[in-house]
Amino acid sequence: MLTKRVMQRFLNLHFVPRRRLFHANTKMLSKCDRARQTMKWIDSIVIGQKLCPFARKSTLRIKVSNAISYAEILREVESEVHDLVGTKNLNANSASSRIGKNSNSEQSAIPDMTPETTLIVLNEKRCPSLKDFRELVRLSWRVQEEVINEHSYTPLLQQVIFHPLATHDTYGRSHDDDAADYTIRSPFPTIHLLREVDVMKAVTSGYKDLESLPSRNKAKMRMDGVALCKRRLEDCKDV
């Protein structure tokens, strides 16, 4: 039987980053710009490069934040968490499952209206400390403790973080780029919220050797090389 450890390994959560800052384009991007670039990253890299075989744009919600402080970010995350796994959401899903496939019922559209996963795209211009990947890691600890655990959603929700300079390098001894880091790099600092029930569906779907997927993704990126991986990420800005 697959365990919680396997799920966490699949989501690739165990890393400690080295301190590096990314220097974003000085142009102030609109929320629409950030949403489009993030969706292109999902489409061309996460899905296009098969980093996550379960990723589906149809069940994804992108929330672009303009928060200027961690307190504001935590409030935004809290709202998204309630939408994903709050009592109202769970009751709606339960009701929709009872309705089934009755096309004459207006409520039969409920499953299509409810996202299974949310990407919260943070604004490093308005909250400059998030240019440092380690700060995003620290923020994720607060999300876990002050939002997810505080509302007793721990068994229902998981989070993953992405960043333009995310790294798997545990001890931070090297400053050389590793193409494998592009498995967790995104155009902007991003918090990914996933419902546990959907993670379990993926884990128990019968996908071959799921536990080794993170290692295979890293090997693929290293085979592609840093230059290509970097260019693919930069191409997400061309929308």
Side-chain angles (χ1 to χ4, degrees):
M1 178 177 290
L2 292 169
T3 65
K4 185 81 169 183
R5 178 186 62 81
V6 174
M7 287 190 292
Q8 289 179 332
R9 186 172 174 182
F10 164 64
L11 291 171
N12 213 14
L13 295 179
H14 297 299
F15 53 84
V16 177
R18 59 180 181 265
R19 182 179 180 85
R20 296 178 65 185
L21 302 179
F22 81 98
H23 301 283
N25 193 308
T26 55
K27 176 185 176 182
M28 184 63 72
L29 298 172
S30 69
K31 283 190 172 184
C32 287
D33 291 331
R34 289 173 177 267
R36 284 195 294 264
Q37 290 184 28
T38 299
M39 185 55 76
K40 186 171 181 179
W41 165 67
I42 291 290
D43 195 30
S44 64
I45 297 180
V46 177
I47 296 176
Q49 298 302 314
K50 298 180 173 61
L51 298 183
C52 179
F54 312 106
R56 294 183 296 166
K57 292 187 293 183
S58 61
T59 60
L60 172 68
R61 166 174 160 78
I62 295 178
K63 161 70 176 178
V64 180
S65 171
N66 270 336
I68 62 174
S69 69
Y70 289 179
E72 287 185 18
I73 292 171
L74 290 171
R75 285 194 294 270
E76 290 183 343
V77 172
E78 184 177 44
S79 176
E80 295 299 323
V81 164
H82 287 317
D83 284 346
L84 278 176
V85 295
T87 303
K88 180 179 178 181
N89 175 276
L90 295 177
N91 289 342
N93 284 337
S94 176
S96 67
S97 65
R98 291 195 298 270
I99 291 168
K101 297 182 179 180
N102 182 1
S103 59
N104 294 324
S105 173
E106 292 181 1
Q107 294 185 47
S108 63
I110 288 177
D112 296 330
M113 298 170 61
T114 304
E116 293 181 0
T117 182
T118 298
L119 289 174
I120 302 175
V121 181
L122 305 177
N123 192 327
E124 76 290 342
K125 299 280 191 180
R126 296 177 63 84
C127 194
S129 62
L130 291 175
K131 293 178 181 179
D132 182 349
F133 178 47
R134 292 198 301 187
E135 287 300 316
L136 181 61
V137 174
R138 293 187 183 101
L139 176 60
S140 75
W141 297 339
R142 293 189 60 183
V143 167
Q144 186 67 41
E145 184 62 31
E146 299 177 34
V147 179
I148 297 175
N149 295 350
E150 176 68 21
H151 293 287
S152 301
Y153 288 151
T154 310
L156 303 177
L157 198 72
Q158 294 192 26
Q159 66 163 322
V160 184
I161 57 175
F162 299 92
H163 191 277
L165 288 178
T167 176
H168 296 287
D169 184 1
T170 303
Y171 301 105
R173 293 174 179 172
S174 172
H175 294 286
D176 295 331
D177 278 337
D178 181 353
D181 293 336
Y182 284 85
T183 62
I184 53 172
R185 290 190 177 182
S186 58
F188 309 104
T190 300
I191 297 173
H192 187 193
L193 301 173
L194 307 96
R195 297 187 306 191
E196 184 81 13
V197 62
D198 299 308
V199 173
M200 284 305 302
K201 285 179 183 177
V203 169
T204 59
S205 65
Y207 187 86
K208 185 178 179 181
D209 197 16
L210 183 60
E211 188 173 359
S212 298
L213 181 62
S215 296
R216 294 199 301 272
N217 285 342
K218 291 178 184 179
K220 179 185 184 304
M221 291 299 189
R222 285 173 176 148
M223 186 174 295
D224 289 343
V226 170
L228 177 57
C229 293
K230 183 177 181 180
R231 185 165 67 249
R232 279 195 296 242
L233 187 58
E234 290 177 344
D235 285 346
C236 295
K237 300 175 183 178
D238 185 16
V239 292

